[in-house]
Amino acid sequence: MQDALKVNIEERRGKARIGAALSGSLKFGPELSTNCEVVDVSVTGVKVQLADTVPLNSEVTLILPGSVHFGGEVMWRHGLQVGLKFRNSPEKIAERLSGFLNRDDMRVLHS
């Protein structure tokens, strides 16, 4: 059952994901933020482990080292893990991610 669920989720995403361990913060609401760690990443979104809860469907900004910002929306939440969908185009996201990922990972994201 777990494998079937995993396949269905991956098919729905439509883009390759790679594991990541990037620390950052997530801004939401007028002046709220929480520390986070990016668990996996694709050019359309990320899975993030949070220090505090963030409401479902929130408009958020993921901030990674070097003040690199990614705008997005909380699409799902399971406890302190959330899935964010990026607002920008996959090409723009790939460009921003290139500073954090190695060449092999970037090739996977473009596949």
Side-chain angles (χ1 to χ4, degrees), residues 13 17-18 20 22 36-42 45-50 62 76 78 80-86:
R13 287 182 183 139
R17 286 191 173 252
I18 59 166
L22 302 169
C36 67
E37 180 154 339
V38 175
V39 176
D40 69 27
V41 62
S42 79
V46 291
K47 182 187 335 180
V48 178
Q49 180 71 39
L50 303 172
L62 173 63
W76 58 263
H78 298 291
L80 292 177
Q81 278 196 343
V82 297
L84 306 179
K85 178 181 177 184
F86 291 134

Side-chain angles (χ1 to χ4, degrees), residues 19-79:
L22 302 169
S23 294
S25 64
L26 198 65
K27 289 180 62 175
F28 59 101
E31 296 184 23
L32 302 172
S33 68
T34 184
N35 291 331
C36 67
E37 180 154 339
V38 175
V39 176
D40 69 27
V41 62
S42 79
V43 293
T44 58
V46 291
K47 182 187 335 180
V48 178
Q49 180 71 39
L50 303 172
D52 293 309
T53 62
V54 173
L56 191 60
N57 301 317
S58 295
E59 292 290 321
V60 297
T61 301
L62 173 63
I63 305 169
L64 296 179
S67 291
V68 178
H69 291 64
F70 299 87
E73 179 181 355
V74 177
M75 301 304 291
W76 58 263
R77 183 180 70 206
H78 298 291

